[in-house]
Amino acid sequence: MTCVMHKVDVLTNFPKLYMQEETGDMARPVDPGHFSTCEARLDKHIAGLCSVDFQVAVVLPAGGSGERTGILTPKQLCTFLNRLLISYTIQTFERVPWIQSIVVVVAKESLDLMMDIIHRFHHRNVLVVHGGSTRHRSIFNGVGPSVVIIHDAVRPFVEEDFLLKITMAAKEQGAAGAIRPLVSTVIATTLEGYLDHSLERTKYRASEMTQGFIYDVIYQAYQRCSESDFKFGTECLHLALQYCGTNAKPIEGPPTLWKVTYKGDLAAAESIVKGMYLYTFLYTTLSLYCFVCTLSSLCHCTVFKCNISMIVVYLDSKTTYFIDLMYVSTIFYTT
Ligand SMILES: Nc1ccn([C@@H]2O[C@H](COP(=O)(O)OP(=O)(O)OP(=O)(O)O)[C@@H](O)[C@H]2O)c(=O)n1
Ligand SMILES: O=P(O)(O)OC[C@@H](O)[C@@H](O)[C@@H](O)CO
C-alpha cells in the first residue's frame, strides 16, 4: 500500500504552494507621502509583553438591521454551517485569554434570540445589552469600566495579536484604531452634483474596526458628544479627539478586518468559514483515510485512486494556503 502525499508543511499539515502574507509594502508603487502608524515601537512593546495586567472588555455592536444586504435577516444573524455570524465573532473573542468579558449589543427584538444563541453555542462571559437607534448609541450602551475594545459584530475574522496591538496602544495612548489602505479614491462634489475635488489617496486611510479606548476617554466622549454625533456619526476615534482631545493611535490592520456589509460579503464570509472547516475536515479525513489504507492493505482490498483538486484554505487572518493537487493514491491489492 502506498499513501502518497506531497511533502506537508509541519505547521499546517498541508503543502504550501503559495503563502500570501499581508506585508506593509503593497505591490503597488506607494506615493512618498508618509503615513506613520508607529507600529515598529508597538511591535517591540508587544514583543516584550508578558501579560495584559488590566481589565479588558470587548463591545460587539450587533444591533443593526443590515439594510444594505437587501435581505430581511440582519446580517449578524445569518447562518453559515449551522452557526450564526455573531456566534463566529463571539467565538473569536472567547479564544483570547486576556479578555475578561464580551458585551453583545443587540436590538431589543433580538434579545431572546441572542440568549438562545449563547446557550446553544455554549458561549461564556457574554453579557447581552439592548442596542440603540444608531451604532453610537448601541456602543455607548455597551461600554463599561475597563480598557474597552470595540469591534463591529459583523467583522468575524480578527486575530489575537492584532487585538493585542490595539489594546496595548489604547492603554498607552487612550485610543487606538485599525486602519486599511483605501481601495478607491475619495472625492467631494459641488451642490450641483459635479466633481469638486478628490483627495490624494495615499495620504488617507480607511478607519476600520477593531478600536480600543480607556474607559474614561470613550465614556466622556459619549457624555459630551452632540445629538447629531449620536444620530449621524460613524467614527468613535473622532469623538475621542473632538471631545476628549485624545489623538488615537492608528494601526495598520490585516485585510481580514473587512466588514460584512453587502450580500456579496455574506457569500465571502461563508466561503472563508467553509474553507476553515474544510481544512479541518480534509486533514482529519486524509489522516483517517491513510489509517484505513494501512489497515485495509493488511487485509487486502480493491484498487482505487482519488484526486483532490485545488483547494484554497483560509487558515487564519494572516495567511492563505493554497493546497496543490493532492494526489492521494491508495492502492489496495485484491486478494
Ligand atoms: N443601531 C445600530 C446600528 C448598527 N449596529 C452594529 O454596528 C455594526 C456595523 O454597522 P453596519 O455595518 O452599518 O450595520 P447595519 O447598520 O446593520 O447595516 P446597514 O447600514 O446596512 O443597515 C454592525 O455589527 C451592526 O449590527 C448596532 O449595533 N446598532
Ligand atoms: O458606517 P457603518 O455603520 O456602515 O460601518 C461602521 C464603520 O464605519 C466603522 O466600523 C469604521 O469606520 C470605524 O469607525
Side-chain angles (χ1 to χ4, degrees):
M1 186 284 296
T2 53
C3 181
V4 176
M5 281 172 69
H6 288 264
K7 176 187 167 306
V8 289
D9 177 272
V10 175
L11 282 181
T12 65
N13 290 319
F14 281 106
K16 259 190 292 190
L17 259 190
Y18 169 70
M19 186 173 94
Q20 168 199 1
E21 195 137 55
E22 181 63 19
T23 58
D25 51 321
M26 310 304 253
R28 301 168 54 79
V30 178
D31 179 279
H34 182 60
F35 205 94
S36 154
T37 62
C38 50
E39 264 187 274
R41 191 155 49 85
L42 261 179
D43 281 340
K44 272 206 289 297
H45 180 93
I46 285 174
L49 184 80
C50 50
S51 70
V52 177
D53 57 1
F54 46 85
Q55 287 287 320
V56 178
V58 63
V59 177
L60 301 178
S65 56
E67 282 170 25
R68 283 171 287 180
T69 59
I71 56 176
L72 288 176
T73 306
K75 52 196 176 184
Q76 60 275 23
L77 303 179
C78 287
T79 303
F80 312 131
L81 298 184
N82 297 322
R83 181 186 283 267
L84 290 88
L85 178 59
I86 177 71
S87 181
Y88 286 106
T89 309
I90 294 172
Q91 201 177 44
T92 298
F93 285 91
E94 280 180 323
R95 291 191 182 120
V96 179
W98 43 267
I99 290 180
Q100 281 76 34
S101 64
I102 299 168
V103 182
V104 184
V105 190
V106 296
K108 285 196 184 88
E109 59 270 20
S110 303
L111 280 169
D112 292 344
L113 171 60
M114 195 63 231
M115 297 312 288
D116 173 57
I117 291 165
I118 290 168
H119 177 72
R120 197 182 345 156
F121 296 103
H122 311 294
H123 291 307
R124 59 199 185 290
N125 300 335
V126 178
L127 183 65
V128 180
V129 300
H130 67 76
S133 56
T134 64
R135 192 168 67 93
H136 275 323
R137 292 190 194 286
S138 293
I139 293 170
F140 191 23
N141 286 358
V143 298
S146 64
V147 169
V148 181
I149 294 178
I150 302 172
H151 187 87
D152 296 326
V154 290
R155 297 176 191 258
F157 309 113
V158 60
E159 71 264 19
E160 180 179 349
D161 62 0
F162 186 71
L163 292 173
L164 195 54
K165 275 185 184 177
I166 291 285
T167 302
M168 295 315 292
K171 177 83 171 122
E172 186 180 287
Q173 177 67 14
I179 54 173
R180 288 284 306 155
L182 290 172
V183 290
S184 304
T185 302
V186 176
I187 66 158
T189 56
T190 63
L191 289 176
E192 295 72 33
Y194 294 98
L195 177 68
D196 180 68
H197 67 277
S198 71
L199 296 181
E200 198 174 326
R201 198 164 86 187
T202 51
K203 287 190 168 34
Y204 292 85
R205 286 291 184 274
S207 172
E208 305 285 353
M209 285 278 179
T210 316
Q211 293 180 348
F213 302 84
I214 56 173
Y215 176 65
D216 289 349
V217 167
I218 191 69
Y219 182 75
Q220 290 301 334
Y222 277 132
Q223 283 282 65
R224 297 170 182 166
C225 75
S226 67
E227 266 313 297
S228 174
D229 286 314
F230 269 120
K231 198 165 179 186
F232 303 110
T234 60
E235 187 45 78
C236 303
L237 302 180
H238 164 74
L239 301 181
L241 179 57
Q242 175 102 0
Y243 297 103
C244 299
T246 299
N247 291 76
K249 217 176 247 175
I251 298 176
E252 292 271 356
T256 47
L257 284 180
W258 113 97
K259 181 166 66 75
V260 173
T261 303
Y262 300 102
K263 194 171 186 181
D265 296 325
L266 287 168
E270 182 171 30
S271 67
I272 290 173
V273 166
K274 283 181 177 170
M276 288 171 157
Y277 279 80
L278 180 66
Y279 158 72
T280 311
F281 168 75
L282 202 60
Y283 178 64
T284 312
T285 309
L286 281 175
S287 310
L288 189 64
Y289 194 63
C290 290
F291 172 70
V292 166
C293 298
T294 309
L295 214 57
S296 312
S297 65
L298 297 176
C299 39
H300 308 296
C301 257
T302 53
V303 177
F304 69 92
K305 292 185 180 181
C306 74
N307 289 338
I308 296 176
S309 62
M310 175 68 81
I311 296 166
V312 172
V313 177
Y314 209 95
L315 297 182
D316 60 33
S317 48
K318 276 204 297 277
T319 50
T320 305
Y321 291 76
F322 290 87
I323 296 176
D324 67 347
L325 278 173
M326 289 178 64
Y327 187 72
V328 179
S329 75
T330 47
I331 301 166
F332 302 92
Y333 293 98
T334 53
T335 46

